[in-house]
Amino acid sequence: MSGDDDARDPLVKRWWFPFDTPGHGTHTGSVIASRERGQVCGVAPESTLVPIRTITSVTQVFDGDVAKAVRYTMQADCQVVSLSLGGLGFNGLRAAIRHAVAQGLIVVAAAGQHVGFVVAPAVYPECVAAAASTGDDRPWPSSSHGPAVDICAPGERIWVAEVDAASRPPVFRVSNTDHDGTSYATAHMAGVAALWVAHHGHPELKARYGAEQIQSVFLHLLGTAGHRRPAGWETGQWGAGIVDAEALLSAPLPAAVPVLRRFTAGADLPTPWEPLAVVLPELGADEIEERLAGLARHAARPLVDVTASGVTASYAAEIARLLAENPVLRARFVEDKPGTAAGLLLAEIGSAGSWSLADAVGCASPRWV
């Protein structure tokens, strides 16, 4: 999402950052859409894969870059979004996902693993949350689980396409070694969603139910017909069961839009000012906006299609966290020293913020290699 003309992944793992996952998009993408039978055949082999490279780690702290990618999927006329990543979650990504669902996209996200709780964005009601199952139809022991999970899909020893970038020339191969987790469950579910949309036709689904209800219909059929449920399955922790693509495609469409856990566009989300108001209780909204305007005046280049309040709306929680973690920066911000505060904030964004926030305010992007 940097805007250059080179879409190749350098497949570089930074030695000092243990969470980098180079090649993860290739692995999960091959589960969705690989064509070559006898090598790896994806769940939806005739689908069109739109890879969007916007992060270097599936473990997310800030989510501005992922929100930017989700917004791009609408421009690219995608119909399914696969998010094999997760973290703490901020409202910028949730708002982007909500908008995508309202436009008729199905958004599938990974429940997470090794942490004991369902991560964001899968925990949001706007997403189809996928946990992982094993080859013998049991929940994968390391998968996150809980009431937010909608469904399980295969996530243990998954065969994928991969590249050994350390070899010269690079070696391309298939492997199921160390390919476990809810990322692969999510890829399976995204493939199943693509099959379902293709089976019924996106224009037909949109005309029959309205774009904003397509995911609701998909979730309804997934929970009522499109799964198998092994004996003793805990639906409150692992969702309706394990996805069954054939059963889902065979299920007739409902006559009316089902009533599910839903959200109202524009409701339930905190206002853009709330995260900053928590960190800066001594300042009013007007005072916060006035100080943020310093970003526009002191940035290295003009803001790109973003006003000062627009930056707040998209990245309020991210900026609030940067302020909370830097007491000197926060003090300057409160003292209303716009030049000093803006300079410090720009430096903090450049070294610790998301790429898209750095791009938005025109400072050096933190793209370490």
Side-chain angles (χ1 to χ4, degrees):
M1 294 297 292
S2 62
D4 61 31
D5 59 359
D6 186 358
R8 293 175 297 177
D9 187 338
L11 298 173
V12 173
K13 183 177 179 65
R14 296 169 291 182
W15 65 268
W16 52 269
F17 192 71
F19 301 114
D20 274 355
T21 47
H24 187 73
T26 298
H27 304 158
T28 53
S30 69
V31 173
I32 297 171
S34 287
R35 270 98 165 129
E36 186 69 28
R37 293 188 180 274
Q39 296 293 314
V40 177
C41 183
V43 176
E46 295 186 18
S47 61
T48 298
L49 187 68
V50 182
I52 303 173
R53 184 161 57 88
T54 188
I55 55 176
T56 59
S57 172
V58 298
T59 304
Q60 291 296 286
V61 178
F62 298 133
D63 62 10
D65 298 318
V66 183
K68 183 178 180 181
V70 170
R71 291 191 291 271
Y72 179 80
T73 65
M74 291 176 273
Q75 301 173 25
D77 294 326
C78 297
Q79 295 164 353
V80 179
V81 178
S82 181
L83 295 173
S84 290
L85 49 83
L88 300 176
F90 293 118
N91 292 315
L93 176 55
R94 186 175 180 186
I97 291 172
R98 175 173 290 190
H99 185 52
V101 172
Q103 296 299 308
L105 282 75
I106 296 174
V107 181
V108 187
Q113 56 220 41
H114 305 301
V115 293
F117 59 89
V118 178
V119 300
V123 73
Y124 301 149
E126 290 85 353
C127 289
V128 179
S133 59
T134 66
D136 56 357
D137 283 357
R138 299 176 185 272
W140 184 55
S142 296
S143 175
S144 293
H145 53 90
V149 170
D150 292 299
I151 197 72
C152 277
E156 181 184 51
R157 294 185 63 80
I158 304 302
W159 286 95
V160 305
E162 67 177 18
V163 57
D164 180 0
S167 301
R168 290 293 180 269
V171 175
F172 299 90
R173 63 195 179 201
V174 297
S175 171
N176 69 342
T177 302
D178 297 327
H179 294 303
D180 308 303
T182 59
S183 287
Y184 301 103
T186 300
H188 276 97
M189 274 309 310
V192 170
L195 291 175
W196 182 80
V197 170
H199 180 67
H200 294 290
H202 195 263
E204 289 76 12
L205 290 168
K206 186 175 180 179
R208 182 167 180 171
Y209 299 109
E212 70 280 1
Q213 298 296 345
I214 290 176
Q215 181 164 286
S216 293
V217 176
F218 177 74
L219 277 168
H220 167 74
L221 291 175
L222 197 60
T224 56
H227 65 269
R228 62 182 187 278
R229 187 177 298 163
W233 191 264
E234 296 182 68
T235 57
Q237 294 294 311
W238 298 98
I242 300 172
V243 65
D244 184 327
E246 183 177 8
L248 178 67
L249 298 182
S250 299
L253 292 172
V257 176
V259 178
L260 294 174
R261 51 152 208 202
R262 284 296 85 200
F263 56 89
T264 301
D268 303 324
L269 293 181
T271 67
W273 299 109
E274 287 185 26
L276 285 161
V278 171
V279 175
L280 303 164
E282 61 268 63
L283 298 181
D286 290 343
E287 294 174 299
I288 294 173
E289 183 167 19
E290 181 181 352
R291 285 157 174 76
L292 287 171
L295 289 176
R297 294 192 297 270
H298 295 275
R301 57 182 170 80
L303 295 177
V304 181
D305 299 326
V306 184
T307 63
S309 59
V311 170
T312 306
S314 299
Y315 304 105
E318 186 168 338
I319 294 173
R321 178 163 178 154
L322 293 172
L323 290 170
E325 291 179 343
N326 189 325
V328 174
L329 171 60
R330 185 189 179 283
R332 297 294 184 272
F333 203 86
V334 171
E335 290 168 7
D336 193 18
K337 296 183 178 178
T340 304
L344 286 170
L345 185 54
L346 285 167
E348 191 74 3
I349 290 170
S351 63
S354 68
W355 294 355
S356 55
L357 175 56
D359 287 342
V361 299
C363 61
S365 298
R367 302 186 185 192
W368 306 285
V369 294

